[in-house]
Amino acid sequence: MFANRDFLKDLKAFEIPTCLRVCAGTDGSVTFLLEIMTRHEVEVITEDQHLVKADEEMAGLLDVDVGEEVNHRTVRLVADGVPYVHAVSLSPIGRMPEEVRRDMMRADIPIGKILRNYGMETRRDLDTIQMEADGPLFGSRECLSRTYRIVHHNDTLMWIKERFPADGRWLL
């Protein structure tokens, strides 16, 4: 179910390669799709990961109390040496089963694989999608960004912002 009913309409309006449209529009694992499209294992390169106390903005995104402990993780998804996605995730630690928390803190495992490994039934509620020209991303002048929530038992397990370079690397 789409949290933002205009998400699909907005996505269809962008002049971008089809493979990028598919990855940005999925309500499943981007990592899994990238592995199918590129025929290469996707490497998660962690740029930063640390625990923070939720401020008001985070608390609102995650539906938690201000001050609750949140895992803040920034990664790049790379296949065959080519970076495809830059992602920031916020995860309230208290909502994660212990084994999921342990794997999440290892930092090198894609979120989709962690969820699949533990058979967690989740859904992705897609929130926003837009083109950005804020500066280069992996050498591309423009990027497509989206935000969504991974929901488990009707609670936000994670909030994620993904940015995709909008260029020819998606002509797979």
Side-chain angles (χ1 to χ4, degrees):
M1 177 176 112
F2 289 101
N4 173 355
R5 297 195 186 281
D6 291 328
F7 186 93
L8 188 57
K9 181 182 80 166
D10 293 343
L11 178 59
K12 288 178 181 179
F14 299 129
E15 292 297 325
I16 55 176
T18 299
C19 287
L20 174 53
R21 187 180 320 283
V22 169
C23 281
T26 187
D27 61 356
S29 170
V30 169
T31 304
F32 188 70
L33 286 175
L34 273 174
E35 289 185 350
I36 292 168
M37 291 176 181
T38 65
R39 295 180 283 172
H40 292 280
E41 188 78 18
V42 170
E43 181 182 6
V44 176
I45 300 173
T46 302
E47 294 178 356
D48 182 50
Q49 177 166 283
H50 59 279
L51 295 176
V52 297
K53 300 289 184 187
D55 60 18
E56 284 193 33
E57 181 181 5
M58 281 184 204
L61 291 171
L62 299 168
D63 194 25
V64 298
D65 293 330
V66 171
E68 193 163 323
E69 202 166 41
V70 172
N71 184 48
H72 183 282
R73 176 169 132 155
T74 304
V75 301
R76 283 177 278 143
L77 302 182
V78 177
D80 196 32
V82 178
Y84 285 93
V85 182
H86 185 266
V88 175
S89 65
L90 302 173
S91 310
I93 293 298
R95 285 202 183 131
M96 286 189 222
E98 179 59 37
E99 62 274 6
V100 173
R101 182 180 321 146
R102 184 180 57 248
D103 282 358
M104 181 71 67
M105 299 309 282
R106 282 191 39 209
D108 59 344
I109 305 172
I111 289 169
K113 283 187 180 180
I114 294 170
L115 298 174
R116 205 167 36 255
N117 286 346
Y118 294 104
M120 291 186 69
E121 292 188 25
T122 62
R123 72 174 190 269
R124 286 169 171 81
D125 286 348
L126 305 170
D127 291 326
T128 65
I129 190 160
Q130 63 187 0
M131 292 298 293
E132 295 179 355
D134 295 351
L137 176 65
F138 308 141
S140 178
R141 289 189 330 238
E142 280 192 307
C143 71
L144 182 68
S145 74
R146 74 176 190 160
T147 62
Y148 63 95
R149 289 172 176 78
I150 295 179
V151 178
H152 177 65
H153 293 140
N154 290 321
D155 289 321
T156 300
L157 189 63
M158 295 171 205
W159 175 89
I160 299 171
K161 179 177 183 177
E162 293 171 332
R163 297 174 64 227
F164 307 82
D167 61 16
R169 77 188 72 209
W170 295 97
L171 300 172
L172 301 167

